[in-house]
Amino acid sequence: MSDPVLNLAAPPSLGWIDLGMFALMLAMSAFIGVYFGLSKKQDTAKEYLMGGKSMGMLPVSISLIASFVSGITLLGVPAEMYQHGTQYSAAAISFVLIGWTTATIFLPIYSKLGISSSYEYLELRFNKKVRRLCSVMYAIALMFYIPVVIYVPALAFSQVTGINVHVVTPITCLVCIFYTTLGGLRAVVWTDALQTLIMMAAIIFVMTLGAEKLGGWGRVWQINEAGDRLRFFNMDPDPFRRQSFWSVVVGVYFMFLADCATGQSFVQRYLSVPDLKTATKTVVIFAIGLVGTLLLSVANGLLVYASYADCDPIISQRASKPDQLLPLFVMDVAGHIPGFTGLFIAGVFSAALSSMSTGLNSLAGVLVQDLFAGYLSPRISTGTWLKTMAALLGFISVGLVYVVENLGGVLQSILSLNGVTSGPMLGLFVLGMFFPSANSKGALAGSLISLFAVGFVVFGAQFAQHTGALVHKALPVSVENCTYAAGNFSLGQQHHRDDIFEEDNDDVWPILKLSFTYYTLLGLVIVLVVGNLVSILCKEADSKSKPINRDLFCPLVHRFLPPDSEQEASPAEKEELMPTLQR
């Protein structure tokens, strides 16, 4: 290995210019909220949640990218490259497949039905109970995700730059609540576009400067190759291996298909553009953006490893968690440039704010339209209820940030909650679109059993990791050329972190060793198996008399529908099934 390239005794502190850059991003986001809140009347669900179906293709595409790429992604993917190598980069293939599946299978069905909430489909296909169950799962998962997506970047920058979590988090959250509540989807989309530009500018600049200081990309590649970080084609099909080519491509495909094809926050924006053709182009741009962002994050991970290959920052106590490696790298590379660290902080928090604003907007719609539709006073306009709900959810999220902070090791369990709910949710849609014989009893039974089964696997695995019974092997790191020592760390004595050694996992149940990327696929399979079996055993009494709408099914299964299904449900019947607020 070469001598360490970057190795400061302590990260530089933030200056007023850096704080000014961060404050400017927040001010511009707030201004966008005020502009759309005052210039557009948003008294209806269609206006507040879908921008009047008049949104432009490009800003919606950028907004989708921004909400998908959270601060967790920007900090977590480079940390993944540093610890486990580049195998996760195969997710680029998954993103392409997700875009194709969403555009060709799911989107045409939503468009034909003329719905504004993805969960309306479940009511049209099954019944209101199934719709509410899926809405509850979505709401629970999102209420845990929103505070985490804010807390993770705040924690990283707090420990690396000295910014206090309890100062940054409330300020950023309050600004996000303000523009999301006041401006609706229009404000969410345009602030996402602004924040994405800031985020991408920061990432590209630090990549360019970092590669130059390290001697070019050829040198970066050489160091990563020597450190065994270049792992692209591990073709081991073992589903219990933490990561391989197949677990990434197949597992990540289903894991994120659940969000991108059925999640309300995504479907809501697909349908905010004027027509299906524009929506399809939007999904294509979205998929391309995901691939590009992933590759940029992978490149940052290679830079981080090349910088600290001979002096692991965690052992040398310059950082306490892997998520802090990229911020530390930025401070080391560009901390001397006035304003740049502030720009990067603004970029990472922009990704977090875009995820939060999107979550608040879509979750408000789900609660008002799907869960509380029959309990809210009609004297108050739907738009007012939506704004009130978005604000309330925002303040709850701020409070939950403090709860997340005190959970310690349970934090990873909360992040895994997405795997618990995404499988059952995706399973409901696939069951409805591809299996004409499935009924509401099968859908309810399949989703509930899947929810509890996957929950047992996910939280069982997290508990086993927390207790040390299950350990995932990380790649070796070194401190042989460190020039900095802190605390009890002694140069030359410790060359590996504690989490690198692979312990004996034989005492753990085999199912708990399942790769985390397969959690969603496991949930999907359980829904399909149980759902179809229960549907066969418990045929609904009115199933034969109920008209079949071919628009509810994927065209691939139209040939298996009864001949009389050619006559679709009439517009009056469709209107009868639609919720009151949607009308």
Side-chain angles (χ1 to χ4, degrees):
M1 291 287 183
S2 62
D3 292 335
V5 180
L6 304 171
N7 208 354
L8 302 180
S13 59
L14 293 178
W16 287 107
I17 298 179
D18 298 304
L19 295 176
M21 294 291 292
F22 184 51
L24 179 62
M25 181 274 292
L26 294 178
M28 293 175 68
S29 300
F31 173 78
I32 292 174
V34 172
Y35 174 79
F36 285 107
L38 297 179
S39 63
K40 298 288 184 179
K41 188 177 181 180
Q42 303 186 67
D43 292 334
T44 66
K46 182 178 179 181
E47 280 292 329
Y48 190 81
L49 297 176
M50 303 180 68
K53 285 189 71 67
S54 61
M55 300 300 298
M57 176 181 67
L58 189 58
V60 170
S61 301
I62 296 175
S63 174
L64 289 165
I65 297 169
S67 59
F68 187 93
V69 182
S70 67
I72 297 174
T73 303
L74 293 181
L75 301 178
V77 172
E80 173 70 19
M81 302 300 107
Y82 185 89
Q83 290 184 292
H84 300 285
T86 58
Q87 186 60 78
Y88 187 75
S89 60
I93 301 174
S94 307
F95 293 155
V96 173
L97 295 176
I98 288 171
W100 178 85
T101 305
T102 302
T104 58
I105 295 179
F106 289 88
L107 199 55
I109 294 177
Y110 299 144
S111 181
K112 285 183 180 180
L113 294 174
I115 58 180
S116 61
S117 165
S118 57
Y119 307 130
E120 288 181 34
Y121 169 82
L122 297 177
E123 182 176 352
L124 294 171
R125 175 62 179 88
F126 297 115
N127 59 26
K128 191 169 293 185
K129 291 181 180 179
V130 178
R131 175 181 181 177
R132 286 180 175 172
L133 173 62
C134 196
S135 299
V136 169
M137 288 191 290
Y138 175 78
I140 293 174
L142 206 56
M143 282 309 298
F144 278 105
Y145 177 74
I146 291 175
V148 171
V149 85
I150 292 293
Y151 175 73
V152 169
L155 175 65
F157 281 106
S158 172
Q159 296 189 359
V160 173
T161 67
I163 302 177
N164 191 292
V165 171
H166 301 301
V167 173
V168 176
T169 300
I171 294 175
T172 53
C173 287
L174 288 174
V175 172
C176 184
I177 293 168
F178 173 76
Y179 71 74
T180 303
T181 301
L182 188 63
L185 183 69
R186 288 187 175 90
V188 170
V189 167
W190 283 104
T191 51
D192 282 353
L194 166 68
Q195 292 161 357
T196 301
L197 293 177
I198 297 174
M199 176 182 68
M200 298 306 293
I203 292 175
I204 293 174
F205 188 86
V206 75
M207 282 177 53
T208 304
L209 190 60
E212 180 183 351
K213 287 200 171 187
L214 288 166
W217 284 103
R219 180 60 179 156
V220 172
W221 190 269
Q222 183 182 14
I223 296 174
N224 277 271
E225 186 175 24
D228 195 26
R229 259 55 184 182
L230 303 182
R231 299 186 170 199
F232 297 102
F233 298 103
N234 178 1
M235 309 306 287
D236 187 351
D238 184 4
F240 300 103
R241 188 181 183 92
R242 181 187 181 274
Q243 213 170 84
S244 68
F245 178 83
W246 300 115
S247 67
V248 172
V249 173
V250 177
V252 170
Y253 167 75
F254 286 103
M255 182 165 55
F256 290 126
L257 180 66
D259 291 327
C260 297
T262 68
Q264 171 61 12
S265 60
F266 289 90
V267 175
Q268 174 183 332
R269 278 172 290 176
Y270 300 151
L271 302 178
S272 68
V273 297
D275 51 52
L276 177 60
K277 184 177 180 180
T278 306
T280 302
K281 293 179 180 178
T282 299
V283 173
V284 172
I285 297 174
F286 171 45
I288 295 173
L290 290 186
V291 173
T293 306
L294 172 66
L295 296 180
L296 288 175
S297 296
V298 169
N300 274 330
L302 297 178
L303 283 171
V304 170
Y305 178 76
S307 301
Y308 305 119
D310 289 343
C311 185
D312 179 65
I314 297 178
I315 295 179
S316 60
Q317 301 181 19
R318 298 193 62 212
S320 61
K321 295 183 179 181
D323 289 340
Q324 298 167 7
L325 294 176
L326 183 61
L328 179 64
F329 172 72
V330 172
M331 298 293 284
D332 285 350
V333 168
H336 63 285
I337 303 177
F340 178 77
T341 304
L343 175 65
F344 187 79
I345 291 176
V348 174
F349 270 102
S350 291
L353 289 177
S354 64
S355 299
M356 180 180 181
S357 62
T358 300
L360 294 179
N361 184 264
S362 61
L363 187 53
V366 167
L367 294 180
V368 171
Q369 290 193 300
D370 294 349
L371 296 180
F372 303 143
Y375 305 99
L376 301 177
S377 173
R379 297 179 181 178
I380 302 176
S381 69
T382 303
T384 301
W385 278 121
L386 289 167
K387 292 177 181 179
T388 303
M389 191 64 69
L392 178 62
L393 292 169
F395 287 113
I396 293 175
S397 298
V398 175
L400 287 177
V401 169
Y402 292 85
V403 176
V404 168
E405 181 184 25
N406 294 320
L407 288 176
V410 187
L411 178 61
Q412 189 175 355
S413 299
I414 296 178
L415 293 175
S416 299
L417 185 64
N418 181 64
V420 178
T421 57
S422 60
M425 292 168 65
L426 178 61
L428 284 174
F429 283 86
V430 174
L431 185 70
M433 294 178 180
F434 288 89
F435 296 90
S437 61
N439 57 37
S440 60
K441 292 180 180 178
L444 286 171
S447 56
L448 287 173
I449 292 176
S450 175
L451 184 66
F452 286 108
V454 179
F456 171 79
V457 174
V458 172
F459 290 110
Q462 295 300 321
F463 179 77
Q465 291 180 38
H466 182 68
T467 59
L470 178 63
V471 177
H472 294 297
K473 184 180 180 181
L475 295 175
V477 295
S478 172
V479 291
E480 61 183 273
N481 285 327
C482 277
T483 58
Y484 162 67
N488 297 322
F489 167 66
S490 178
L491 295 175
Q493 291 184 358
Q494 187 178 9
H495 297 275
H496 299 278
R497 293 205 308 271
D498 293 337
D499 62 348
I500 285 173
F501 300 111
E502 186 172 19
E503 297 186 5
D504 183 7
N505 296 331
D506 292 340
D507 294 336
V508 179
W509 289 357
I511 189 62
L512 300 184
K513 302 177 187 178
L514 182 70
S515 172
F516 71 95
T517 61
Y518 284 126
Y519 290 155
T520 301
L521 178 58
L522 175 63
L524 168 66
V525 171
I526 293 175
V527 172
L528 297 184
V529 173
V530 175
N532 280 295
L533 286 176
V534 173
S535 297
I536 294 173
L537 297 174
C538 304
K539 290 185 177 293
E540 296 179 338
D542 61 342
S543 60
K544 293 184 178 179
S545 59
K546 189 176 181 179
I548 296 178
N549 181 1
R550 295 172 69 88
D551 289 345
L552 293 170
F553 301 95
C554 174
L556 296 175
V557 302
H558 281 183
R559 68 181 69 180
F560 303 106
L561 297 176
D564 59 357
S565 65
E566 293 288 346
Q567 184 178 0
E568 298 179 354
S570 65
E573 291 171 326
K574 290 183 181 180
E575 181 70 14
E576 184 180 353
L577 288 171
M578 290 294 179
T580 304
L581 282 175
Q582 175 61 23
R583 283 183 272 163

